[in-house]
Amino acid sequence: MDDFAKTKDALIRELQQLRSQVTTLGQPYDGGPADAPLDVRQLTALTKAAESLLGIHDLPSLWPRVETAVKTLLQADRMALYLYDNDTNSLSCPYAIGLSAEYVAHVNRSFENSPGNELLYHLAPMWAEDVQNDPAFNHMQPHIQMEGFRSLAIFPLINSQGGSGGGLALYWDEIRPVNTNWLNTGYTLAHMIAQAINTITLFSQTNESLLREKQLGEISRMLNTTPDLPTLLGSIIKMVAELVHADAGLLGLVIEREMMTFYPHNIPNGVNLRPAPRPRGLAWEVVNSREPIFLTDYPTHPEAMQKWIDVGVTHFMGVPLRAGDRCLGMLALFNLGHSPIQFTQRDLDVVVSVGRQAGIAIQNLRLLAETQQRAAALAAALNRQAELDMMKNNFTQSVSHELRSPLGIIYGHAELLASESLGPLNDDQRQSSEIIMRRVMMLTNLVDDLTALLAAETQELRREEIDTIMLVYSLLADYRMRANDLGIALEAEIEEPMPWILGDSTHLRRVFDNLVSNAFKYTPAGGRIILRLKAAGEDVIIEVADSGEGIPEDQLGRIFERFYQVEGGSKRRHKGTGLGLTLVKEIVEAHRGTVGVSSQVGQGTTFTITIPGFMPKG
Ligand code: ADP
């Protein structure tokens, strides 16, 4: 409304100026006869007409008022308003009275050849007192004769940039002699009409921009809040089509690089939208070039498809859906020939920016969906793992129970036999019963190791504060006798202060029992076993070093494997299960630690365990 008020004030000021210039306006236009200047009555009528044109918000309501003004002030029998579009260099006629559609269409089509064309260069009125006998109109005679008018005057409509915005053409059925007086009136009236048109256009453009701004805001909000991809794709295409008044739209998404699937909006029945393989068609052209395509004459494009031509597509707009360097697909909008509103360059700019935002939103939702899928798969795997652990745990408990008791009974009976309480045995019988006892003992050890291994894998570790120095002293005490019996020196080297370990003392005790008893197994009499305790920051390093027979280098990597035993040499003498080191590794890693080994055949072996610890308080 403010705009209108301002324009109205400006116009009234202009009219007052005109009033003061009445005499100068009496000058003839080139060639026009000089008459009396406008009198007060005419000026009052002009002011009234001007006022009636103001305060109008839309062009359709303006036309009847223009008609009234033209008829009262200039008594024209017919009239036409021609609007000139500088961008497209074209003429249109939104309002005409008393003229045939053919005549108006003819002028629109061939305005560049009509005398009125002069208005584009000289913003001055032009007229013909008798068009039917005016040589300048010779080439239009057939049309003029058909219409039947005699006099013609055209007044310039000046656009907001001060250039030509078209013309107000007036027609009289009888010859109307020209005089400056009514030429001035027509000129001034046309000027006012142009002002009113400019204001209305500006007003509707501002309204349109505000509306577009609002719609863009809604699209942005939707892009950022839609929780799933299918809803998002449907909403984008619908909202963008509404934004630019497209008759139909299509969102194409590239899948697996070579195919595009389509999400339609208002696509006419009968147009099939099968996924399109690379690389034909406008859709792929947009995706490959990552540039928009804008066509105002779709059927003539080399990539135009018959199915779209058949449904009447004339205007086409295709923009890429980009996310950074990647092009995820494209957004296409169509206008059908009969549509009253056609796309403009501004529409394209808006859709390009929506395409960019949409690309990023699609990418984000895809990433989210992938992450959710992975999280679900991981959760399922963890559940399954937990179930398996549970089964293993149950199995371990029942197996160790079911095996241990019969093994105990067999051992007891073998021992009974060997003790000859059931009668004297000959040498062969005694040997056999001893073999039974030894083998049963081995089986019992195997069951123990297996049970411990499975327990280490499946049961939660306890978290006790373990004094590492005490741990090594207790090992020394426990193995002292055995060392003496075997003639092996058992020593300890301990750094102080030492960090403690937060862990499971039973499991850790098993680790060192395994390492120390291996050291005894593979070290001959006269050898040496050293337990070393060192700190590296808050890490605890425990070494079990022996001067035994060592392990060949090519087998070092395999000794931690389940049931692996070093082949050849004297190794098979020591009947083990091949599970001890597996258990060691398993338990140390459960304490977030590592196990290393270095060895030289004939020189000895050193196992190094590193476990994160903490400094005890006080
Ligand atoms: P086992 O029950 O056979 O001792 P382990 O898993 O404890 O099984 O050890 C695997 C193999 O590693 C053993 O068979 C042995 O050959 C080799 N080994 C382990 N510790 C030593 C060591 N201190 N000195 C030499 N060889 C060793």
Side-chain angles (χ1 to χ4, degrees), residues 159-177:
N159 67 22
S160 49
Q161 281 91 46
S164 179
L168 169 68
L170 305 182
Y171 309 82
W172 291 267
D173 292 345
E174 304 299 331
I175 288 180
R176 177 162 205 200

Side-chain angles (χ1 to χ4, degrees), residues 392-543:
K392 235 179 359 180
N393 216 352
N394 294 342
F395 174 77
T396 315
Q397 278 168 13
S398 41
V399 164
S400 64
H401 177 78
E402 295 302 325
L403 285 178
R404 241 188 253 265
S405 14
L407 283 175
I409 294 168
I410 295 169
Y411 189 83
H413 281 274
E415 208 174 27
L416 199 61
L417 282 176
S419 67
E420 300 191 353
S421 313
L422 301 178
L425 303 175
N426 62 32
D427 283 350
D428 288 346
Q429 288 167 330
R430 189 173 306 107
Q431 212 179 347
S432 285
S433 61
E434 274 164 8
I435 291 175
I436 294 174
M437 279 163 64
R438 233 183 10 256
R439 292 292 170 160
V440 167
M441 209 43 173
M442 271 177 62
L443 269 178
T444 311
N445 285 339
L446 179 66
V447 171
D448 281 348
D449 278 356
L450 266 178
T451 317
L453 188 63
L454 290 170
E457 277 174 3
T458 54
Q459 285 166 2
E460 291 244 332
L461 283 181
R462 284 196 304 253
R463 290 165 68 80
E464 306 146 322
E465 296 189 348
I466 300 167
D467 179 341
T468 45
I469 296 179
M470 289 306 295
L471 177 75
V472 171
Y473 278 136
S474 79
L475 282 170
L476 278 179
D478 289 355
Y479 286 93
R480 176 73 56 213
M481 283 256 283
R482 186 150 163 200
N484 289 340
D485 289 350
L486 294 173
I488 294 174
L490 178 64
E491 295 159 19
E493 291 172 9
I494 298 176
E495 262 182 24
E496 289 197 62
M498 273 301 297
W500 288 25
I501 294 172
L502 200 59
D504 189 315
S505 57
T506 319
H507 280 309
L508 282 178
R509 180 61 209 224
R510 200 181 288 277
V511 165
F512 294 105
D513 278 341
N514 262 298
L515 294 178
V516 176
S517 55
N518 274 350
F520 277 111
K521 266 198 259 177
Y522 302 107
T523 304
R528 212 155 79 118
I529 296 173
I530 307 176
L531 305 180
R532 284 196 198 94
L533 194 52
K534 298 190 276 193
E538 293 210 327
D539 283 353
V540 176
I541 300 173
I542 308 175
E543 284 180 2

Side-chain angles (χ1 to χ4, degrees), residues 518 521-522 546 551 559 564-566 571 576-578 580-581 605:
N518 274 350
K521 266 198 259 177
Y522 302 107
D546 65 55
I551 306 168
I559 53 173
Y564 189 81
Q565 291 180 309
V566 172
K571 302 294 156 65
T577 58
L581 289 179
T605 305

